[in-house]
């Protein structure tokens, strides 16, 4: 009798629990957006809503997109499952695919539990799923940042099978959309051609954006996209999702429109050549996917990401940034101690904070006088720089600027002592002729010894020279000759373990040298993701510093990254444009210079010095303000961007005429983000010496209302002409 009673109670508890769990709603919400998940009667987890914030909590459990319509009210097994597995009833692209140790290729995940807790800036939700037949567990993580309206999500996979299992799909997450039309904007790229925006409508089937480049992974396409719901993305209106993956290696975004016209978006590490052997109890952590949803177009979405990045992700996101003079475009490999000392004087004369010494300062047996030799041998080249880094630090100190140094520690030239000593540290196919990219090979970062070496490069420079104030970390080659001598018969892990190896090194660097700002560079902007940016204060957008091209490149990157993370230098690319134009273009991001002052005439020099003063005075506004992209270079002959500070008391407007047509109709630039009731004084700055502003608005006062509704006549029909306008509330 007693036994029967206990069984009855257990039965009741169990049925209550499963009834409760079957209705369980998990709400991942920000101030503007809700992502709602629900456990269906079959015990599996489904996405029931993603969109504008829902105002009535009671209605949260009104959704059942996973229930079949008509008389059959069973759970549909096609689509909407949050982390759909392979080999089951969903015939479209899965989030996870596993070959179990017994060879079974299917995965069906049941909901187990979930919890929510507060984290810095938001709420973290962790959901536990478990395969119904195998000891495989998946944890789904969601971090919602209410104020910034950003959600960051990733997954973890683990098992207790007796032997290794093979992972061949491992998405960070999976999101679903139901609509009539979906439009994708992608960001294609190449050397000197980064962040080119192209849009297309998604039709039935799959569109895949991926890369197989390994180390210089984002050279051909960047790890972010914009999705327009019902209409192509627009700047100030329409429902959009902007998403980006924090992974400095091969990534893959899959957009699949299914038979019912629903869209699933799957951000993941690219599984290409990457069947991952997961040992029992080993944790496979996917990269973070970060997204924001906006019903006010991409302008708002970008501002969400900018705010979030500064507050929570970017290294020293709330700190300041250093202006600099770099020597790469000016001297290339051709310099010596006294020339560098002169350049440091020029840096001081220009008024920038730092001199950045680029490639070519190392290698003795194989001197780094071109890109054909010396990479890997991180000892100062005695012939060029007999006094070593200490002398450079001294010269910099003497003229009151800081010193920064370029490194490319993941790479090696075959003509190097490192290669002679450690050929086994290099990714290279044992039985084929080696293929070189920029005359170099990639070190095998999956090997802990190589990780120690790479950390040692940085550690040695910074320990021996604690006054080195900045590093530019380059990566000029994709992974070639793909074979790891270290991983031996586990080659399927190389692309993934390489990236994890870099992160291990970067983590050590950040822990030991938390104060040292670092620029992420990859032959330009081929590394630009939010995981790397946990370790870097900024990235080099492109070797292409032609200001006209930069208008497009910077416009592209600004969709996802704040100006604070984007390094832009004034160089001699496109000398057909004025020094003022080049400087004004670089001034809308993190300003630097890379030219010889001797190439400038007196007026240009005076202008540049004043531009540095202006930028330094206004950098808080440019780097931390709200960015409004006003006029797109993709839509005509002009471009304009502005920044507004927190209390709307100050703004800065940049306007650029690219290649206007004769007698072209010019429209005023309508400002955004101001206070309609504040009155603002307009002042054109960054003018060449002895040139006064021809802006009729100059020195006048207008309400924010007027400036936003009527606008400023700032555009002209001059070629490559620019204005920088300071806007100050009375
Ligand atoms: C890459 C970088 C450049 C410069 C060179 C040096 O191309 O993008 O800025 O540092 O390497 O070799």
């Amino acid at each position: 009798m007693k036994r029967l009673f206990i069984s009855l109670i257990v039965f009741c508890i169990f049925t209550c629990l499963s009834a409760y769990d079957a209705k369980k709603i998990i709400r991942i919400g920000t101030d503007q957006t809700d992502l709602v998940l629900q456990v269906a009667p079959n015990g599996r987890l489904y996405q029931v809503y993603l969109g504008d914030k829902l105002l009535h909590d009671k209605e949260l459990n009104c959704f059942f997109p996973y229930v079949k319509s008509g008389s059959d009210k069973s759970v549909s097994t096609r689509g909407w499952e949050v982390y759909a597995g392979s080999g089951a009833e969903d015939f479209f692209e899965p989030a996870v695919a596993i070959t179990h140790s017994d060879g079974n290729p299917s995965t069906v995940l049941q909901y187990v539990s979930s919890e929510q807790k507060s984290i810095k800036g938001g709420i973290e939700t962790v959901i536990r799923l478990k395969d119904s037949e195998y000891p495989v567990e998946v944890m789904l993580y969601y971090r919602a940042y209410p104020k910034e309206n950003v959600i960051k999500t990733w997954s973890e996979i683990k098992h207790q099978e007796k032997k290794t299992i093979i992972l061949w799909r491992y998405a960070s997450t999976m999101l679903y959309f139901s609509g009539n039309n979906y439009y994708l904007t992608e960001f294609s790229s190449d050397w000197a051609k980064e962040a080119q925006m192209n849009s297309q409508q998604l039709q039935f089937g799959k569109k895949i954006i991926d890369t197989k480049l390994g180390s210089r992974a984002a050279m051909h396409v960047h790890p972010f996209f914009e999705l327009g719901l019902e209409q192509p993305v627009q700047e100030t209106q329409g429902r959009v999702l902007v998403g980006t993956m924090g992974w400095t290696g091969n990534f893959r975004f899959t957009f699949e429109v299914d038979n019912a016209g629903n869209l699933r978006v799957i951000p993941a590490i690219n599984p290409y050549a990457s069947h991952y052997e997961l040992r029992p109890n080993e944790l496979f952590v996917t990269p973070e996917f970060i997204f924001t949803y906006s019903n006010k177009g991409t302008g708002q979405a970008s501002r969400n990401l900018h705010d979030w990045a500064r507050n929570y992700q970017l290294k020293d996101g709330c700190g300041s940034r250093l202006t600099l003079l770099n020597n790469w475009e000016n001297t290339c490999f051709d310099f010596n101690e006294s020339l560098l000392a002169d350049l440091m004087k020029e840096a001081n004369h220009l008024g920038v904070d730092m001199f950045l010494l680029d490639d070519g300062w190392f290698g003795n047996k194989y001197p780094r006088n071109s890109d054909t030799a010396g990479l890997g041998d991180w000892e100062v080249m005695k012939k060029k720089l007999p006094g070593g880094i200490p002398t450079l630090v001294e010269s910099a100190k003497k003229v009151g600027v800081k010193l920064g140094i370029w490194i490319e520690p993941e790479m090696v030239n075959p003509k190097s002592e490192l290669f002679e000593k450690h050929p086994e540290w290099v990714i290279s196919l044992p039985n084929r002729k080696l293929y070189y990219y920029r005359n170099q090979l990639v070190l095998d970062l999956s090997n802990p010894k190589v990780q120690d070496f790479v950390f040692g490069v940085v550690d040695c420079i910074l320990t021996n020279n604690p006054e080195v104030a900045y590093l530019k970390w380059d990566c000029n080659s994709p992974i070639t000759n793909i074979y790891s001598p270290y991983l031996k018969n586990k080659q399927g892990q190389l692309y993934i373990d390489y990236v994890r190896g870099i992160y291990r090194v970067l983590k050590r660097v950040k822990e030991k040298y938390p104060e040292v700002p670092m620029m992420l560079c990859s032959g330009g902007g081929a590394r630009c993701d939010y995981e790397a940016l946990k370790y870097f204060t900024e990235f080099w957008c492109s070797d292409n510093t032609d200001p006209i091209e930069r208008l497009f490149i910077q416009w592209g990157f600004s969709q996802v990254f704040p100006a604070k993370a984007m390094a832009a230098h004034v160089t001699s690319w496109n000398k057909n444009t004025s020094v003022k134009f080049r400087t004004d273009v670089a001034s809308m991001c993190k300003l630097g210079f890379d030219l010889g002052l001797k190439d400038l005439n007196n007026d240009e020099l005076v202008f540049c010095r004043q531009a540095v003063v202006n930028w330094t005075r206004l950098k808080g506004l440019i780097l931390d303000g709200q960015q409004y992209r006003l006029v797109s270079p993709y839509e005509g002959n002009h471009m304009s961007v502005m920044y507004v500070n927190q209390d709307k008391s100050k703004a800065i407007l940049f306007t650029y005429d690219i290649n206007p047509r004769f007698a072209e109709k010019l429209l005023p630039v309508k400002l955004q983000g101001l206070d309609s009731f504040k009155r603002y004084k307009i002042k054109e700055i960054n003018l060449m010496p002895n040139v006064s502003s021809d802006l009729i608005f100059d020195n006048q006062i207008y309400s924010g209302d007027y400036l936003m509704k009527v606008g400023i006549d700032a555009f002209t029909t001059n070629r490559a002409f620019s204005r920088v306008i300071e806007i100050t509330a009375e």
Side-chain angles (χ1 to χ4, degrees), residues 624-677:
D624 296 317
Q626 295 291 301
Q627 184 193 59
Y628 293 87
R629 290 183 297 257
L630 305 176
V631 179
S632 167
Y634 283 91
E635 279 162 21
N637 288 320
H638 310 273
M639 193 267 209
S640 179
V641 162
M642 72 181 286
Y643 299 89
V644 184
N645 72 355
Q646 213 59 42
D647 65 5
K648 300 173 190 274
S649 61
K650 188 110 193 152
I652 185 164
L653 172 68
F654 295 90
T655 67
Y656 307 94
D657 304 307
I658 301 171
N659 192 13
R661 298 181 62 187
F662 175 77
E664 180 188 301
K665 179 174 183 191
L666 297 171
L667 294 173
V669 182
K670 291 184 188 168
L671 309 196
Q672 291 177 36
L674 299 177
D675 182 334
S676 304
F677 296 96

Side-chain angles (χ1 to χ4, degrees), residues 191 194 216 326 328-329 332-333 356-360 362 368 370-371 375 406-408 438 440 472-476 519 521-525 540 542-544 569 594:
W191 179 76
E194 287 85 346
R216 192 172 166 173
N326 189 193
W328 174 248
E329 293 291 332
C332 208
F333 293 95
L356 171 61
L357 171 59
D358 215 283
D359 196 356
F362 49 88
R368 179 77 172 169
S370 73
D371 63 17
L375 204 53
W406 178 97
I407 51 172
E408 192 182 2
R438 207 196 191 206
Q440 65 197 55
K472 171 178 176 185
W473 181 306
D474 213 336
C475 164
N476 278 301
M519 182 205 282
C521 176
S522 184
W540 180 230
S542 180
D543 280 350
N544 189 341
H569 297 174
D594 193 352

Side-chain angles (χ1 to χ4, degrees), residues 583-602:
T583 308
D584 288 352
V585 171
S587 291
M588 65 169 142
C589 293
K590 206 222 84 167
L591 177 66
F593 288 79
D594 193 352
L595 38 66
L597 296 197
K598 292 190 185 76
D599 295 341
L600 304 180
N601 66 32
N602 195 48

Side-chain angles (χ1 to χ4, degrees), residues 145 164 172 193 240 252 329 406 439 448 472 502 513 532 631 641 697:
Y145 299 85
T164 350
S172 294
K193 239 182 126 189
V240 301
R252 178 161 108 162
E329 293 291 332
W406 178 97
N439 310 301
K472 171 178 176 185
I502 303 170
Y513 305 102
V631 179
V641 162
F697 289 70

